[in-house]
Amino acid sequence: MQDELTTGYSAQAAALKGTVPGADDLRAQAMTDFGTHGFPHARAEDWRYSDLKALRANVYAPAEAPEAMPTIPASMGDTAARFVFVNGRYQEDLSDLGDLWQAASIRPLANHFTSNAARLDELVRGEDGVSLLNTALLRDGMVISVPAGVEVDDPVEIVHVMTEAAGRAAHLRHVIELGEGAKLSVFERFIGDDSAYWQNIILQARIAEGANLGHIRLQEEGASALHTAKVYANVDAVGEYRCANMTAGGKMARFEAHVRLLGEEAHATVDGVALTATGQVHDTLTHVNHVVPFATSDQIFRTVADARGKTSFAGKVTVAKDAQKTAADQSFKALVFDRTAEANAKPELEIFADDVKCSHGATVGELDAKAIFYLTSRGIDPVTARRMLVEAFTAGALERVAFDEIRDAMMDRIGTWMATRADRAIPEVREA
Amino acid sequence: MLNIKDLHVSVGDKEIVKGLNLEIKAGETHAIMGLNGAGKSTLAAAIAGRDDYEVTSGSIEFGGKDMLALEPHERVGEGLFLGFQYPVEIPGVSNLNFLRTALNSVRKYRGEAEMSAAEFMKLVREKAKALNMDPEMLKRFVNVGFSGGEKKRNEMVQMAVLDPKLAILDETDSGLDIDALKTVAEGINTQRRKDTAILLITHYQRLLSYVQPDVVHVMIDGRIVKSGGKELALELEEKGYADVA
Ligand SMILES: Nc1ncnc2c1ncn2[C@@H]1O[C@H](COP(=O)(O)OP(=O)(O)OP(=O)(O)O)[C@@H](O)[C@H]1O
Ligand SMILES: [Mg+2]
């Protein structure tokens, strides 16, 4: 099958030649590497919980424009700009540049390398089949560069929609560049219909000294979707990267955040909630790399899995030999509704410095029957009681979402998700 | 109001309540006293409907309704309240949110409209004040980090807000300092009306000197073995269970 995959995707890469001027060699190299590596093996340590069967068995054709444009959901609150991508292609008609164009430089990925070939070196090339393919099939994405000292207050919303795309894939790449002291918030949304598509996306960010990037993700892909997403953030001194991710959709979804703290007093928060319904697989992997002294990081993840849902969190923190006075915290808690739900946790600390404060905690538990009884003994019905407990359980991981409308909408998603589980108000084990 | 006949309750394989009869009429206050492990809290939990406490036989009727056919929250809607011996901590849920959801759930069950936020705040502040509870505690997570006495007082605030027909108070007096005991006793006395009833579970005569019961029951090994007037409590305190029962 690997030969068929290589042949199929090589043809796709060849057809894209010239679509991103300056990137052809890079594309070709990534394709060659893909041929060598293929997709990660099912037993590869970092990929054990991701189900890539569909990727290994099919060549996903490039997604094409749908016959009918889907309706795009309204923004959640004020936005600085709104970019809409349907089936992996930018939709100018559906987008709104707002005031952002006055504050920042905005361009499609296709124009990113023409004026400045040095940018090729900054492009993340990928280290496994999934990301290599994203590079090999590079075509569209948004590049936002905020000049030094410019602060954009409202979030920039990027909406990704997939529709009528069974057996097809989108490989998007967004690039965010913040100059010294610049500030930006990016809110990415992912939605889609029930077709079995593959959304494969990378967002890479460079955060210069004292700059601040907020990154919120709301992943509500269609029920048959495959979603693979990676974030790469490089943070300079006193810079900040703040990520909050909500994973709810897809049949199989994987989110990776790779953060490198490259300057002293750089700070990163990487938070997330996963709501994993029956039959879904959600895999989260974070790697925060403390390269220099005095940088700090903090991660809060909460996952909730219904019967036969499978959720995994692997959180790695690396502290380099010179990175003294690092402070890194990580808290992971999983809630499973019954014994058929699966939650895996793999915190991993790689510490080469000796004067650091690092902590991590991971727990897996069920809803507290005593708490449910206490709530119901005050007249609250069991469905509401369970919803309140799940909201309370997850809320801590969304507290750092800086925009009330978005945070409220995310909390609403949790309430709705619990309401759709009303029939499971009383925990029980059902046979598959 | 409450009518319990030949009640048997098991936890796991173990029978704990073994044929208990109890009748409480509107306007009455009853007290149950008994040795540790006699099954008092088990009885209270069974009346409230905790699902791991299995009623193997007998009946519980409340306000003419078969309680055993109702879920715990429905029993509350019918006017039942259980003050917990060990109130539960619920991290992440604020006291206010908890109380408001509870009150509106009960109102919904009774076909009444939701209470507005302003009306609710007024009610809660008033009840908290009457029970000497710092209003700041209303914003905190339910019982998290509360002292033993604060938790009991919080139970009383919940009772006052929900205004039940029958309040079963399981050792609400234990862990309270003398001043708090008086405040809580006043709270209970406020709840005593012609149309309400109270069932106190306690080990101490002291509470009963503030909240004078009409009937005192002695519970031993899953049964009520003796009932009498309020003087029975005094007698128990003097002579102990072995001589009285
Ligand atoms: N969930 C449970 N699992 C196992 N045993 C239980 C459980 N609940 C109660 N019991 C047992 O049932 C018996 C009665 O307990 P219960 O709490 O009803 O006593 P009590 O009369 O309230 O005692 P106390 O005065 O100490 O509060 C005890 O032996 C107790 O260990
Ligand atoms: Mg007890």
Side-chain angles (χ1 to χ4, degrees), chain A residues 370, chain B residues 10-12 14-17 32-45 50 52-53 85-86 170-171 201-203 219 222:
Chain A
K370 280 204 182 87
Chain B
S10 296
V11 180
K14 197 173 152 202
E15 186 170 68
I16 293 168
V17 175
I32 293 184
M33 305 182 81
L35 295 172
N36 294 132
K40 303 179 295 294
S41 296
T42 304
L43 170 68
R50 206 175 128 172
D52 45 350
Y53 288 62
Q85 179 174 2
Y86 304 108
D170 192 357
E171 298 200 22
I201 296 172
T202 182
H203 288 294
M219 185 164 174

Side-chain angles (χ1 to χ4, degrees), chain A residues 374-380 382, chain B residues 73 82 84 102 105 143 155 158:
Chain A
Y374 193 62
L375 293 168
T376 55
S377 79
R378 297 298 178 254
I380 299 170
Chain B
H73 69 283
L82 170 62
F84 281 53
S105 299
N143 294 325
E155 295 289 290
Q158 291 164 30

Side-chain angles (χ1 to χ4, degrees), chain A residues 62-361:
Chain A
E64 287 175 352
E67 293 200 355
M69 270 296 157
T71 14
I72 310 300
S75 297
M76 294 172 181
D78 294 336
T79 56
R82 181 163 220 243
F83 304 118
V84 176
F85 289 81
V86 175
N87 289 2
R89 299 308 306 274
Y90 178 59
Q91 305 297 319
E92 197 171 351
D93 297 349
L94 300 174
S95 300
D96 175 4
L97 299 189
D99 294 331
L100 185 66
W101 63 275
Q102 290 173 313
S105 135
I106 312 165
R107 57 186 171 268
L109 184 77
N111 299 345
H112 187 43
F113 309 104
T114 37
S115 58
N116 187 348
R119 287 176 179 152
L120 276 174
D121 296 333
E122 286 195 24
L123 202 78
V124 172
R125 286 152 198 249
E127 65 279 356
D128 53 59
V130 174
S131 42
L132 286 168
L133 210 50
N134 181 286
T135 307
L137 302 177
L138 210 65
R139 176 171 203 175
D140 216 339
M142 198 47 75
V143 180
I144 305 173
S145 309
V146 185
V150 173
E151 300 193 357
V152 180
D153 291 327
D154 290 332
V156 171
E157 203 171 277
I158 309 181
V159 185
H160 309 85
V161 188
M162 294 290 284
T163 185
E164 301 168 22
R168 295 178 180 274
H171 303 273
L172 278 167
R173 172 80 56 123
H174 300 311
V175 178
I176 312 288
E177 300 169 333
L178 301 192
E180 285 183 15
K183 187 179 168 201
L184 184 74
S185 298
V186 174
F187 174 34
E188 288 191 281
R189 293 182 65 179
F190 299 88
I191 52 175
D193 66 9
D194 282 344
S195 59
Y197 59 84
W198 176 24
Q199 174 78 268
N200 182 27
I201 185 161
I202 294 178
L203 180 146
Q204 57 176 86
R206 180 161 49 76
I207 300 160
E209 189 170 326
N212 188 320
L213 177 65
H215 184 199
I216 308 167
R217 300 177 83 253
L218 176 54
Q219 190 274 90
E220 301 176 289
E221 301 277 17
S224 310
L226 183 61
H227 175 99
T228 50
K230 296 192 190 223
V231 173
Y232 294 88
N234 287 344
V235 192
D236 285 343
V238 212
E240 263 190 59
Y241 173 67
R242 295 169 288 112
C243 180
N245 173 58
M246 178 179 257
T247 291
K251 184 171 164 53
M252 184 345 258
R254 176 179 171 101
F255 170 60
E256 294 181 22
H258 301 266
V259 183
R260 288 200 295 163
L261 301 173
L262 301 169
E264 292 190 0
E265 287 178 55
H267 179 60
T269 59
V270 188
D271 300 338
V273 169
L275 306 174
T276 310
T278 299
Q280 282 182 308
V281 177
H282 288 154
D283 195 2
T284 304
L285 185 142
T286 68
H287 184 191
V288 178
N289 196 343
H290 288 254
V291 181
V292 295
F294 298 107
T296 50
S297 67
D298 189 7
Q299 305 184 57
I300 302 176
F301 277 86
R302 299 289 179 264
T303 65
V304 188
D306 199 352
R308 283 176 286 119
K310 194 168 152 183
T311 186
S312 169
F313 171 78
K316 186 166 162 181
V317 174
T318 305
V319 180
K321 192 162 161 287
D322 295 333
Q324 303 296 359
K325 305 287 180 193
T326 286
D329 285 327
Q330 192 182 80
S331 155
F332 170 75
K333 287 184 185 168
L335 200 55
V336 290
F337 284 174
D338 68 26
R339 286 179 292 132
T340 65
E342 206 184 310
N344 306 290
K346 201 185 109 185
E348 193 183 347
L349 293 177
E350 261 184 356
I351 304 177
F352 301 104
D354 47 25
D355 184 12
V356 300
K357 260 171 58 186
C358 295
S359 68
H360 65 83

